[in-house]
């Protein structure tokens, strides 16, 4: 093999390993040294070393082990050279117990621990703002670059860079530990982690602003993160419920926009485009997520999504069961948004008049002010009742609030249909 071809093969090997295990490598280093910056820098150093050595020596049998060993040694070298790390060196006693990291040939290295769960709880620590939690999770667990995270938040790269720096500084100064909460803490800490993953998915499934309705990159990263959590916490039913919800919802992605990128509403979607493999996987997960006492909100939402996915069309959907599930959701996780979704389901079960009466009770809800789907839903029900002028006014109100261009175009089309008639 020529040097050029060997270099390209090595580069592909490094890329493949790092794509699959980059968050795991960073998590292992962060857990070992207690510093996100050091973990990121030494992981990059190890990658550079692999690009230099693997074309010459060949790709090792255990690439991740090689990268981890190299990164650990480079971290030790950085700590020894940098006075800024002197206090941290003493605190972590790195010299004492980790001066000679194991090589990939040493026993026990076949089973490299997966420390990503620790990193999840560190990035989503309640001492950090939700904005910071989401940014750190995308950066260090999803593996997005700072410019990619900035695009997800629709802010300049420099702004996001400063935000991530401040969040990492907060972790250092507040001495937020790199650890998994104990059994007594887990019930209060896990919902925060799940919320961040769900927020990433919802932004990918229905972008809050921009030209495109879908951000498949974010939706897929959220599903990947949910799969990691499910693998690490297989007995946590809400983790199972979240993964089921994401799969069952993402299964409809291909039918949610037409060839021109225009939004297609649920009632108009070509259900033959829905991903049957994702639906089957999600349906299998719903059962354990709902089994046992104290069912969680993600499991209930997954059950709603499963009912939508198994119906051949909107008319034959089991709306009474969906309303009953929203009743459960209102009891365990009440919010105006849940009430809005329940009102729409009631309209499908009992008629638009019944749903409209429920929606009208939500017009003063603080959480729904500025939320375009409330007036949009009112417009749809008013249109079905033949109250065209009121429906047009509701659609115009929704247009004043919507941020996504694809959703805006859909509202314009509905408004135009009323005007044309």
């Amino acid at each position: 093999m020529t040097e050029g071809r060997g270099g390209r093969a090595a580069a592909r090997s490094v890329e493949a390993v790092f794509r699959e295990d980059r968050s795991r490598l960073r998590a292992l280093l962060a857990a070992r040294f207690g510093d996100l910056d050091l973990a990121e820098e030494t992981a990059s150093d190890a990658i550079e070393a692999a690009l230099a050595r693997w074309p010459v020596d060949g790709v090792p049998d255990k690439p991740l082990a090689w990268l981890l060993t190299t990164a650990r040694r480079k971290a030790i070298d950085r700590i020894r050279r940098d006075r800024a790390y002197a206090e941290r060196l003493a605190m972590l006693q790195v010299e004492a117990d980790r001066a000679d990291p194991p090589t990939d040939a040493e026993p026990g290295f076949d089973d490299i621990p997966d420390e990503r769960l620790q990193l999840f709880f560190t990035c989503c620590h309640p001492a950090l703002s939700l904005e910071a939690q989401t940014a750190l999770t995308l950066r260090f667990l999803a593996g997005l670059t700072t410019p990619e995270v900035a695009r997800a938040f629709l802010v300049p790269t420099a702004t996001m860079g400063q935000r991530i720096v401040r969040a990492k500084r907060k972790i250092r100064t507040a001495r937020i530990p790199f650890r998994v909460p104990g059994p007594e803490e887990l019930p209060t800490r896990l919902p925060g982690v799940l919320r961040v993953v769900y927020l990433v998915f919802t932004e990918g499934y229905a972008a809050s602003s921009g030209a495109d309705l879908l951000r498949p990159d974010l939706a897929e990263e959220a599903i990947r993160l949910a799969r990691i959590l499910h693998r690490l916490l297989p007995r946590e039913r809400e983790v199972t419920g979240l993964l089921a919800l994401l799969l069952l919802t993402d299964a409809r992605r291909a039918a949610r926009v037409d060839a021109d990128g225009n939004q297609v509403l649920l009632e108009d979607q070509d259900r033959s485009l829905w991903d049957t493999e994702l639906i089957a996987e999600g349906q299998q997960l719903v059962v354990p997520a709902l089994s046992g006492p104290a069912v969680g909100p993600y499991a209930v939402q997954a059950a709603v999504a499963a009912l939508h996915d198994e119906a051949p069309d909107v008319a034959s959907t089991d709306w009474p069961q969906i309303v009953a599930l929203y009743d459960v959701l209102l009891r365990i996780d009440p919010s105006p948004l849940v009430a809005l979704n329940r009102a729409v389901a009631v309209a499908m079960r009992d008629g638009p008049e019944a749903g409209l009466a429920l929606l009208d009770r939500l017009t003063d809800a603080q959480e729904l002010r500025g939320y375009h789907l409330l007036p949009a839903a009112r417009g749809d029900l008013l249109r079905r009742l033949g109250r065209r002028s009121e429906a047009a006014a509701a659609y115009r109100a929704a247009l004043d609030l919507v941020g996504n261009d694809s959703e805006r175009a859909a509202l314009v089309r509905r408004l135009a249909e009323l005007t044309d008639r």
Side-chain angles (χ1 to χ4, degrees), residues 256-278:
R256 294 189 62 240
V257 293
D258 62 20
D260 298 320
N262 297 315
Q263 182 185 26
V264 180
L265 300 178
L266 182 65
E267 61 194 49
D268 300 320
Q269 289 177 17
D270 179 357
R271 300 190 177 208
S272 68
L273 298 175
W274 290 3
D275 191 322
T276 55
E277 291 186 6
L278 288 185

mmCIF file with all atom_site columns, all heavy atoms in Angstrom, residues 256-278:
data_model
loop_
_atom_site.group_PDB
_atom_site.id
_atom_site.type_symbol
_atom_site.label_atom_id
_atom_site.label_alt_id
_atom_site.label_comp_id
_atom_site.label_asym_id
_atom_site.label_entity_id
_atom_site.label_seq_id
_atom_site.pdbx_PDB_ins_code
_atom_site.Cartn_x
_atom_site.Cartn_y
_atom_site.Cartn_z
_atom_site.occupancy
_atom_site.B_iso_or_equiv
_atom_site.pdbx_formal_charge
_atom_site.auth_seq_id
_atom_site.auth_comp_id
_atom_site.auth_asym_id
_atom_site.auth_atom_id
_atom_site.pdbx_PDB_model_num
ATOM 1   N N   . ARG A 1 256 ? -43.525 14.378 6.430  1.00 0.00 ? 256 ARG A N   1
ATOM 2   C CA  . ARG A 1 256 ? -43.921 15.641 7.055  1.00 0.00 ? 256 ARG A CA  1
ATOM 3   C C   . ARG A 1 256 ? -43.658 16.859 6.185  1.00 0.00 ? 256 ARG A C   1
ATOM 4   O O   . ARG A 1 256 ? -44.129 17.953 6.490  1.00 0.00 ? 256 ARG A O   1
ATOM 5   C CB  . ARG A 1 256 ? -43.211 15.803 8.410  1.00 0.00 ? 256 ARG A CB  1
ATOM 6   C CG  . ARG A 1 256 ? -43.681 14.756 9.424  1.00 0.00 ? 256 ARG A CG  1
ATOM 7   C CD  . ARG A 1 256 ? -43.161 15.039 10.809 1.00 0.00 ? 256 ARG A CD  1
ATOM 8   N NE  . ARG A 1 256 ? -43.642 16.304 11.302 1.00 0.00 ? 256 ARG A NE  1
ATOM 9   C CZ  . ARG A 1 256 ? -42.875 17.312 11.655 1.00 0.00 ? 256 ARG A CZ  1
ATOM 10  N NH1 . ARG A 1 256 ? -41.551 17.229 11.523 1.00 0.00 ? 256 ARG A NH1 1
ATOM 11  N NH2 . ARG A 1 256 ? -43.392 18.424 12.123 1.00 0.00 ? 256 ARG A NH2 1
ATOM 12  N N   . VAL A 1 257 ? -42.891 16.694 5.119  1.00 0.00 ? 257 VAL A N   1
ATOM 13  C CA  . VAL A 1 257 ? -42.676 17.772 4.163  1.00 0.00 ? 257 VAL A CA  1
ATOM 14  C C   . VAL A 1 257 ? -42.801 17.189 2.763  1.00 0.00 ? 257 VAL A C   1
ATOM 15  O O   . VAL A 1 257 ? -42.528 16.005 2.535  1.00 0.00 ? 257 VAL A O   1
ATOM 16  C CB  . VAL A 1 257 ? -41.301 18.453 4.336  1.00 0.00 ? 257 VAL A CB  1
ATOM 17  C CG1 . VAL A 1 257 ? -41.226 19.197 5.662  1.00 0.00 ? 257 VAL A CG1 1
ATOM 18  C CG2 . VAL A 1 257 ? -40.170 17.439 4.222  1.00 0.00 ? 257 VAL A CG2 1
ATOM 19  N N   . ASP A 1 258 ? -43.217 18.029 1.806  1.00 0.00 ? 258 ASP A N   1
ATOM 20  C CA  . ASP A 1 258 ? -43.308 17.563 0.427  1.00 0.00 ? 258 ASP A CA  1
ATOM 21  C C   . ASP A 1 258 ? -41.973 17.775 -0.280 1.00 0.00 ? 258 ASP A C   1
ATOM 22  O O   . ASP A 1 258 ? -40.969 18.143 0.346  1.00 0.00 ? 258 ASP A O   1
ATOM 23  C CB  . ASP A 1 258 ? -44.459 18.263 -0.302 1.00 0.00 ? 258 ASP A CB  1
ATOM 24  C CG  . ASP A 1 258 ? -44.279 19.781 -0.388 1.00 0.00 ? 258 ASP A CG  1
ATOM 25  O OD1 . ASP A 1 258 ? -43.130 20.264 -0.229 1.00 0.00 ? 258 ASP A OD1 1
ATOM 26  O OD2 . ASP A 1 258 ? -45.284 20.485 -0.607 1.00 0.00 ? 258 ASP A OD2 1
ATOM 27  N N   . ALA A 1 259 ? -41.965 17.544 -1.582 1.00 0.00 ? 259 ALA A N   1
ATOM 28  C CA  . ALA A 1 259 ? -40.713 17.628 -2.337 1.00 0.00 ? 259 ALA A CA  1
ATOM 29  C C   . ALA A 1 259 ? -40.104 19.020 -2.311 1.00 0.00 ? 259 ALA A C   1
ATOM 30  O O   . ALA A 1 259 ? -38.889 19.178 -2.485 1.00 0.00 ? 259 ALA A O   1
ATOM 31  C CB  . ALA A 1 259 ? -40.961 17.196 -3.787 1.00 0.00 ? 259 ALA A CB  1
ATOM 32  N N   . ASP A 1 260 ? -40.930 20.039 -2.064 1.00 0.00 ? 260 ASP A N   1
ATOM 33  C CA  . ASP A 1 260 ? -40.445 21.423 -2.016 1.00 0.00 ? 260 ASP A CA  1
ATOM 34  C C   . ASP A 1 260 ? -40.142 21.890 -0.598 1.00 0.00 ? 260 ASP A C   1
ATOM 35  O O   . ASP A 1 260 ? -39.849 23.071 -0.389 1.00 0.00 ? 260 ASP A O   1
ATOM 36  C CB  . ASP A 1 260 ? -41.480 22.362 -2.648 1.00 0.00 ? 260 ASP A CB  1
ATOM 37  C CG  . ASP A 1 260 ? -41.715 22.049 -4.123 1.00 0.00 ? 260 ASP A CG  1
ATOM 38  O OD1 . ASP A 1 260 ? -40.723 21.747 -4.808 1.00 0.00 ? 260 ASP A OD1 1
ATOM 39  O OD2 . ASP A 1 260 ? -42.875 22.079 -4.568 1.00 0.00 ? 260 ASP A OD2 1
ATOM 40  N N   . GLY A 1 261 ? -40.234 20.973 0.362  1.00 0.00 ? 261 GLY A N   1
ATOM 41  C CA  . GLY A 1 261 ? -39.958 21.340 1.746  1.00 0.00 ? 261 GLY A CA  1
ATOM 42  C C   . GLY A 1 261 ? -41.129 21.960 2.473  1.00 0.00 ? 261 GLY A C   1
ATOM 43  O O   . GLY A 1 261 ? -40.977 22.459 3.591  1.00 0.00 ? 261 GLY A O   1
ATOM 44  N N   . ASN A 1 262 ? -42.327 21.915 1.876  1.00 0.00 ? 262 ASN A N   1
ATOM 45  C CA  . ASN A 1 262 ? -43.509 22.479 2.525  1.00 0.00 ? 262 ASN A CA  1
ATOM 46  C C   . ASN A 1 262 ? -44.064 21.516 3.558  1.00 0.00 ? 262 ASN A C   1
ATOM 47  O O   . ASN A 1 262 ? -44.069 20.295 3.355  1.00 0.00 ? 262 ASN A O   1
ATOM 48  C CB  . ASN A 1 262 ? -44.594 22.781 1.478  1.00 0.00 ? 262 ASN A CB  1
ATOM 49  C CG  . ASN A 1 262 ? -44.136 23.820 0.478  1.00 0.00 ? 262 ASN A CG  1
ATOM 50  O OD1 . ASN A 1 262 ? -43.560 24.836 0.848  1.00 0.00 ? 262 ASN A OD1 1
ATOM 51  N ND2 . ASN A 1 262 ? -44.381 23.564 -0.811 1.00 0.00 ? 262 ASN A ND2 1
ATOM 52  N N   . GLN A 1 263 ? -44.554 22.054 4.655  1.00 0.00 ? 263 GLN A N   1
ATOM 53  C CA  . GLN A 1 263 ? -45.107 21.231 5.717  1.00 0.00 ? 263 GLN A CA  1
ATOM 54  C C   . GLN A 1 263 ? -46.349 20.481 5.236  1.00 0.00 ? 263 GLN A C   1
ATOM 55  O O   . GLN A 1 263 ? -47.204 21.036 4.545  1.00 0.00 ? 263 GLN A O   1
ATOM 56  C CB  . GLN A 1 263 ? -45.474 22.097 6.925  1.00 0.00 ? 263 GLN A CB  1
ATOM 57  C CG  . GLN A 1 263 ? -46.011 21.302 8.109  1.00 0.00 ? 263 GLN A CG  1
ATOM 58  C CD  . GLN A 1 263 ? -46.475 22.204 9.234  1.00 0.00 ? 263 GLN A CD  1
ATOM 59  O OE1 . GLN A 1 263 ? -46.848 23.353 8.998  1.00 0.00 ? 263 GLN A OE1 1
ATOM 60  N NE2 . GLN A 1 263 ? -46.461 21.708 10.454 1.00 0.00 ? 263 GLN A NE2 1
ATOM 61  N N   . VAL A 1 264 ? -46.443 19.206 5.610  1.00 0.00 ? 264 VAL A N   1
ATOM 62  C CA  . VAL A 1 264 ? -47.624 18.388 5.327  1.00 0.00 ? 264 VAL A CA  1
ATOM 63  C C   . VAL A 1 264 ? -48.235 17.998 6.664  1.00 0.00 ? 264 VAL A C   1
ATOM 64  O O   . VAL A 1 264 ? -47.573 17.369 7.496  1.00 0.00 ? 264 VAL A O   1
ATOM 65  C CB  . VAL A 1 264 ? -47.265 17.126 4.516  1.00 0.00 ? 264 VAL A CB  1
ATOM 66  C CG1 . VAL A 1 264 ? -48.524 16.307 4.233  1.00 0.00 ? 264 VAL A CG1 1
ATOM 67  C CG2 . VAL A 1 264 ? -46.561 17.490 3.221  1.00 0.00 ? 264 VAL A CG2 1
ATOM 68  N N   . LEU A 1 265 ? -49.493 18.381 6.888  1.00 0.00 ? 265 LEU A N   1
ATOM 69  C CA  . LEU A 1 265 ? -50.152 18.083 8.152  1.00 0.00 ? 265 LEU A CA  1
ATOM 70  C C   . LEU A 1 265 ? -50.432 16.591 8.286  1.00 0.00 ? 265 LEU A C   1
ATOM 71  O O   . LEU A 1 265 ? -50.497 15.851 7.291  1.00 0.00 ? 265 LEU A O   1
ATOM 72  C CB  . LEU A 1 265 ? -51.451 18.873 8.265  1.00 0.00 ? 265 LEU A CB  1
ATOM 73  C CG  . LEU A 1 265 ? -51.308 20.398 8.223  1.00 0.00 ? 265 LEU A CG  1
ATOM 74  C CD1 . LEU A 1 265 ? -52.666 21.071 8.306  1.00 0.00 ? 265 LEU A CD1 1
ATOM 75  C CD2 . LEU A 1 265 ? -50.392 20.886 9.339  1.00 0.00 ? 265 LEU A CD2 1
ATOM 76  N N   . LEU A 1 266 ? -50.630 16.134 9.518  1.00 0.00 ? 266 LEU A N   1
ATOM 77  C CA  . LEU A 1 266 ? -50.810 14.715 9.808  1.00 0.00 ? 266 LEU A CA  1
ATOM 78  C C   . LEU A 1 266 ? -51.929 14.112 8.965  1.00 0.00 ? 266 LEU A C   1
ATOM 79  O O   . LEU A 1 266 ? -51.793 13.018 8.412  1.00 0.00 ? 266 LEU A O   1
ATOM 80  C CB  . LEU A 1 266 ? -51.103 14.527 11.298 1.00 0.00 ? 266 LEU A CB  1
ATOM 81  C CG  . LEU A 1 266 ? -51.281 13.083 11.778 1.00 0.00 ? 266 LEU A CG  1
ATOM 82  C CD1 . LEU A 1 266 ? -49.991 12.298 11.624 1.00 0.00 ? 266 LEU A CD1 1
ATOM 83  C CD2 . LEU A 1 266 ? -51.751 13.057 13.236 1.00 0.00 ? 266 LEU A CD2 1
ATOM 84  N N   . GLU A 1 267 ? -53.029 14.817 8.849  1.00 0.00 ? 267 GLU A N   1
ATOM 85  C CA  . GLU A 1 267 ? -54.183 14.276 8.123  1.00 0.00 ? 267 GLU A CA  1
ATOM 86  C C   . GLU A 1 267 ? -53.911 14.106 6.633  1.00 0.00 ? 267 GLU A C   1
ATOM 87  O O   . GLU A 1 267 ? -54.594 13.337 5.956  1.00 0.00 ? 267 GLU A O   1
ATOM 88  C CB  . GLU A 1 267 ? -55.393 15.190 8.325  1.00 0.00 ? 267 GLU A CB  1
ATOM 89  C CG  . GLU A 1 267 ? -55.187 16.602 7.798  1.00 0.00 ? 267 GLU A CG  1
ATOM 90  C CD  . GLU A 1 267 ? -56.243 17.565 8.309  1.00 0.00 ? 267 GLU A CD  1
ATOM 91  O OE1 . GLU A 1 267 ? -56.489 17.573 9.529  1.00 0.00 ? 267 GLU A OE1 1
ATOM 92  O OE2 . GLU A 1 267 ? -56.815 18.290 7.488  1.00 0.00 ? 267 GLU A OE2 1
ATOM 93  N N   . ASP A 1 268 ? -52.917 14.814 6.098  1.00 0.00 ? 268 ASP A N   1
ATOM 94  C CA  . ASP A 1 268 ? -52.618 14.755 4.659  1.00 0.00 ? 268 ASP A CA  1
ATOM 95  C C   . ASP A 1 268 ? -51.381 13.929 4.338  1.00 0.00 ? 268 ASP A C   1
ATOM 96  O O   . ASP A 1 268 ? -51.008 13.809 3.167  1.00 0.00 ? 268 ASP A O   1
ATOM 97  C CB  . ASP A 1 268 ? -52.426 16.171 4.111  1.00 0.00 ? 268 ASP A CB  1
ATOM 98  C CG  . ASP A 1 268 ? -53.656 17.040 4.298  1.00 0.00 ? 268 ASP A CG  1
ATOM 99  O OD1 . ASP A 1 268 ? -54.777 16.511 4.114  1.00 0.00 ? 268 ASP A OD1 1
ATOM 100 O OD2 . ASP A 1 268 ? -53.502 18.232 4.632  1.00 0.00 ? 268 ASP A OD2 1
ATOM 101 N N   . GLN A 1 269 ? -50.738 13.354 5.339  1.00 0.00 ? 269 GLN A N   1
ATOM 102 C CA  . GLN A 1 269 ? -49.484 12.655 5.104  1.00 0.00 ? 269 GLN A CA  1
ATOM 103 C C   . GLN A 1 269 ? -49.689 11.312 4.419  1.00 0.00 ? 269 GLN A C   1
ATOM 104 O O   . GLN A 1 269 ? -50.675 10.610 4.656  1.00 0.00 ? 269 GLN A O   1
ATOM 105 C CB  . GLN A 1 269 ? -48.732 12.448 6.426  1.00 0.00 ? 269 GLN A CB  1
ATOM 106 C CG  . GLN A 1 269 ? -48.161 13.727 7.007  1.00 0.00 ? 269 GLN A CG  1
ATOM 107 C CD  . GLN A 1 269 ? -47.478 13.521 8.346  1.00 0.00 ? 269 GLN A CD  1
ATOM 108 O OE1 . GLN A 1 269 ? -47.149 12.399 8.726  1.00 0.00 ? 269 GLN A OE1 1
ATOM 109 N NE2 . GLN A 1 269 ? -47.259 14.611 9.073  1.00 0.00 ? 269 GLN A NE2 1
ATOM 110 N N   . ASP A 1 270 ? -48.741 10.969 3.557  1.00 0.00 ? 270 ASP A N   1
ATOM 111 C CA  . ASP A 1 270 ? -48.710 9.662  2.917  1.00 0.00 ? 270 ASP A CA  1
ATOM 112 C C   . ASP A 1 270 ? -48.084 8.679  3.902  1.00 0.00 ? 270 ASP A C   1
ATOM 113 O O   . ASP A 1 270 ? -46.861 8.628  4.060  1.00 0.00 ? 270 ASP A O   1
ATOM 114 C CB  . ASP A 1 270 ? -47.891 9.738  1.629  1.00 0.00 ? 270 ASP A CB  1
ATOM 115 C CG  . ASP A 1 270 ? -47.790 8.396  0.913  1.00 0.00 ? 270 ASP A CG  1
ATOM 116 O OD1 . ASP A 1 270 ? -48.314 7.388  1.435  1.00 0.00 ? 270 ASP A OD1 1
ATOM 117 O OD2 . ASP A 1 270 ? -47.169 8.354  -0.169 1.00 0.00 ? 270 ASP A OD2 1
ATOM 118 N N   . ARG A 1 271 ? -48.917 7.900  4.550  1.00 0.00 ? 271 ARG A N   1
ATOM 119 C CA  . ARG A 1 271 ? -48.434 7.044  5.624  1.00 0.00 ? 271 ARG A CA  1
ATOM 120 C C   . ARG A 1 271 ? -47.585 5.882  5.126  1.00 0.00 ? 271 ARG A C   1
ATOM 121 O O   . ARG A 1 271 ? -46.922 5.221  5.935  1.00 0.00 ? 271 ARG A O   1
ATOM 122 C CB  . ARG A 1 271 ? -49.603 6.559  6.477  1.00 0.00 ? 271 ARG A CB  1
ATOM 123 C CG  . ARG A 1 271 ? -50.346 7.740  7.097  1.00 0.00 ? 271 ARG A CG  1
ATOM 124 C CD  . ARG A 1 271 ? -51.369 7.345  8.131  1.00 0.00 ? 271 ARG A CD  1
ATOM 125 N NE  . ARG A 1 271 ? -51.951 8.574  8.709  1.00 0.00 ? 271 ARG A NE  1
ATOM 126 C CZ  . ARG A 1 271 ? -52.454 8.683  9.936  1.00 0.00 ? 271 ARG A CZ  1
ATOM 127 N NH1 . ARG A 1 271 ? -52.451 7.637  10.734 1.00 0.00 ? 271 ARG A NH1 1
ATOM 128 N NH2 . ARG A 1 271 ? -52.941 9.828  10.362 1.00 0.00 ? 271 ARG A NH2 1
ATOM 129 N N   . SER A 1 272 ? -47.597 5.648  3.836  1.00 0.00 ? 272 SER A N   1
ATOM 130 C CA  . SER A 1 272 ? -46.708 4.618  3.296  1.00 0.00 ? 272 SER A CA  1
ATOM 131 C C   . SER A 1 272 ? -45.253 5.046  3.393  1.00 0.00 ? 272 SER A C   1
ATOM 132 O O   . SER A 1 272 ? -44.340 4.214  3.282  1.00 0.00 ? 272 SER A O   1
ATOM 133 C CB  . SER A 1 272 ? -47.067 4.314  1.839  1.00 0.00 ? 272 SER A CB  1
ATOM 134 O OG  . SER A 1 272 ? -46.770 5.426  0.995  1.00 0.00 ? 272 SER A OG  1
ATOM 135 N N   . LEU A 1 273 ? -45.016 6.348  3.608  1.00 0.00 ? 273 LEU A N   1
ATOM 136 C CA  . LEU A 1 273 ? -43.657 6.862  3.757  1.00 0.00 ? 273 LEU A CA  1
ATOM 137 C C   . LEU A 1 273 ? -43.137 6.725  5.191  1.00 0.00 ? 273 LEU A C   1
ATOM 138 O O   . LEU A 1 273 ? -41.950 6.937  5.433  1.00 0.00 ? 273 LEU A O   1
ATOM 139 C CB  . LEU A 1 273 ? -43.594 8.333  3.329  1.00 0.00 ? 273 LEU A CB  1
ATOM 140 C CG  . LEU A 1 273 ? -43.929 8.642  1.868  1.00 0.00 ? 273 LEU A CG  1
ATOM 141 C CD1 . LEU A 1 273 ? -43.938 10.153 1.637  1.00 0.00 ? 273 LEU A CD1 1
ATOM 142 C CD2 . LEU A 1 273 ? -42.949 7.956  0.935  1.00 0.00 ? 273 LEU A CD2 1
ATOM 143 N N   . TRP A 1 274 ? -44.010 6.396  6.111  1.00 0.00 ? 274 TRP A N   1
ATOM 144 C CA  . TRP A 1 274 ? -43.577 6.254  7.496  1.00 0.00 ? 274 TRP A CA  1
ATOM 145 C C   . TRP A 1 274 ? -42.634 5.059  7.625  1.00 0.00 ? 274 TRP A C   1
ATOM 146 O O   . TRP A 1 274 ? -42.792 4.044  6.946  1.00 0.00 ? 274 TRP A O   1
ATOM 147 C CB  . TRP A 1 274 ? -44.784 6.080  8.420  1.00 0.00 ? 274 TRP A CB  1
ATOM 148 C CG  . TRP A 1 274 ? -45.609 7.335  8.567  1.00 0.00 ? 274 TRP A CG  1
ATOM 149 C CD1 . TRP A 1 274 ? -45.422 8.521  7.935  1.00 0.00 ? 274 TRP A CD1 1
ATOM 150 C CD2 . TRP A 1 274 ? -46.762 7.494  9.396  1.00 0.00 ? 274 TRP A CD2 1
ATOM 151 N NE1 . TRP A 1 274 ? -46.378 9.427  8.319  1.00 0.00 ? 274 TRP A NE1 1
ATOM 152 C CE2 . TRP A 1 274 ? -47.214 8.831  9.215  1.00 0.00 ? 274 TRP A CE2 1
ATOM 153 C CE3 . TRP A 1 274 ? -47.455 6.670  10.279 1.00 0.00 ? 274 TRP A CE3 1
ATOM 154 C CZ2 . TRP A 1 274 ? -48.333 9.346  9.876  1.00 0.00 ? 274 TRP A CZ2 1
ATOM 155 C CZ3 . TRP A 1 274 ? -48.565 7.168  10.938 1.00 0.00 ? 274 TRP A CZ3 1
ATOM 156 C CH2 . TRP A 1 274 ? -48.996 8.488  10.750 1.00 0.00 ? 274 TRP A CH2 1
ATOM 157 N N   . ASP A 1 275 ? -41.657 5.185  8.515  1.00 0.00 ? 275 ASP A N   1
ATOM 158 C CA  . ASP A 1 275 ? -40.619 4.167  8.699  1.00 0.00 ? 275 ASP A CA  1
ATOM 159 C C   . ASP A 1 275 ? -41.161 3.045  9.591  1.00 0.00 ? 275 ASP A C   1
ATOM 160 O O   . ASP A 1 275 ? -41.258 3.192  10.814 1.00 0.00 ? 275 ASP A O   1
ATOM 161 C CB  . ASP A 1 275 ? -39.384 4.813  9.329  1.00 0.00 ? 275 ASP A CB  1
ATOM 162 C CG  . ASP A 1 275 ? -38.176 3.891  9.322  1.00 0.00 ? 275 ASP A CG  1
ATOM 163 O OD1 . ASP A 1 275 ? -38.348 2.682  9.532  1.00 0.00 ? 275 ASP A OD1 1
ATOM 164 O OD2 . ASP A 1 275 ? -37.058 4.393  9.131  1.00 0.00 ? 275 ASP A OD2 1
ATOM 165 N N   . THR A 1 276 ? -41.512 1.927  8.969  1.00 0.00 ? 276 THR A N   1
ATOM 166 C CA  . THR A 1 276 ? -42.131 0.831  9.721  1.00 0.00 ? 276 THR A CA  1
ATOM 167 C C   . THR A 1 276 ? -41.161 0.175  10.703 1.00 0.00 ? 276 THR A C   1
ATOM 168 O O   . THR A 1 276 ? -41.584 -0.346 11.742 1.00 0.00 ? 276 THR A O   1
ATOM 169 C CB  . THR A 1 276 ? -42.683 -0.227 8.753  1.00 0.00 ? 276 THR A CB  1
ATOM 170 O OG1 . THR A 1 276 ? -41.633 -0.663 7.868  1.00 0.00 ? 276 THR A OG1 1
ATOM 171 C CG2 . THR A 1 276 ? -43.830 0.347  7.918  1.00 0.00 ? 276 THR A CG2 1
ATOM 172 N N   . GLU A 1 277 ? -39.859 0.188  10.389 1.00 0.00 ? 277 GLU A N   1
ATOM 173 C CA  . GLU A 1 277 ? -38.893 -0.411 11.316 1.00 0.00 ? 277 GLU A CA  1
ATOM 174 C C   . GLU A 1 277 ? -38.788 0.405  12.600 1.00 0.00 ? 277 GLU A C   1
ATOM 175 O O   . GLU A 1 277 ? -38.745 -0.156 13.705 1.00 0.00 ? 277 GLU A O   1
ATOM 176 C CB  . GLU A 1 277 ? -37.523 -0.527 10.642 1.00 0.00 ? 277 GLU A CB  1
ATOM 177 C CG  . GLU A 1 277 ? -37.472 -1.555 9.531  1.00 0.00 ? 277 GLU A CG  1
ATOM 178 C CD  . GLU A 1 277 ? -36.068 -1.738 8.981  1.00 0.00 ? 277 GLU A CD  1
ATOM 179 O OE1 . GLU A 1 277 ? -35.124 -1.137 9.557  1.00 0.00 ? 277 GLU A OE1 1
ATOM 180 O OE2 . GLU A 1 277 ? -35.906 -2.483 7.999  1.00 0.00 ? 277 GLU A OE2 1
ATOM 181 N N   . LEU A 1 278 ? -38.749 1.735  12.465 1.00 0.00 ? 278 LEU A N   1
ATOM 182 C CA  . LEU A 1 278 ? -38.723 2.576  13.663 1.00 0.00 ? 278 LEU A CA  1
ATOM 183 C C   . LEU A 1 278 ? -40.011 2.423  14.460 1.00 0.00 ? 278 LEU A C   1
ATOM 184 O O   . LEU A 1 278 ? -39.990 2.405  15.698 1.00 0.00 ? 278 LEU A O   1
ATOM 185 C CB  . LEU A 1 278 ? -38.521 4.045  13.277 1.00 0.00 ? 278 LEU A CB  1
ATOM 186 C CG  . LEU A 1 278 ? -37.142 4.471  12.779 1.00 0.00 ? 278 LEU A CG  1
ATOM 187 C CD1 . LEU A 1 278 ? -37.102 5.973  12.556 1.00 0.00 ? 278 LEU A CD1 1
ATOM 188 C CD2 . LEU A 1 278 ? -36.046 4.055  13.760 1.00 0.00 ? 278 LEU A CD2 1
#
